[in-house]
Amino acid sequence: MAMRMRQSLAQLEQAFHHETQQDRQRREHLRRTAARRSRKRAHERAKARSTVRFALLVFSLIATALIVTVAMFETLNLLLA
């Protein structure tokens, strides 16, 4: 009976170590997955911000060109009149 008890204790200990190892692997996998999702979200936010900034830059360049053109022709009109 003592041999059986030692064997079952050894099996329990082995099962515990196996489960502990699986739990560590599961936690590591979850940590890596969370880090990957976080990097992906940060990349998407940066991309969205850069798209908005580019649109604002284009809009400001077009507005500047229009304002300068109108001011130039108004000044020319005043000088020639």
Side-chain angles (χ1 to χ4, degrees), residues 3-65:
M3 185 68 158
R4 228 183 204 169
M5 207 163 152
R6 277 190 217 144
Q7 189 178 15
S8 65
L9 280 176
Q11 287 173 343
L12 283 173
E13 189 175 335
Q14 186 179 17
F16 174 75
H17 286 298
H18 181 67
E19 190 173 328
T20 304
Q21 185 180 15
Q22 283 181 330
D23 190 42
R24 282 187 198 130
Q25 289 173 348
R26 195 171 26 254
R27 281 194 315 252
E28 180 62 24
H29 176 69
L30 288 173
R31 187 193 63 75
R32 278 182 287 165
T33 303
R36 191 178 313 123
R37 278 196 318 260
S38 178
R39 282 192 305 271
K40 186 177 180 184
R41 282 193 306 267
H43 177 70
E44 288 172 355
R45 282 192 306 268
K47 186 176 179 182
R49 281 193 307 263
S50 66
T51 301
V52 169
R53 284 189 299 222
F54 181 74
L56 288 173
L57 174 66
V58 168
F59 175 74
S60 65
L61 288 173
I62 291 171
T64 302

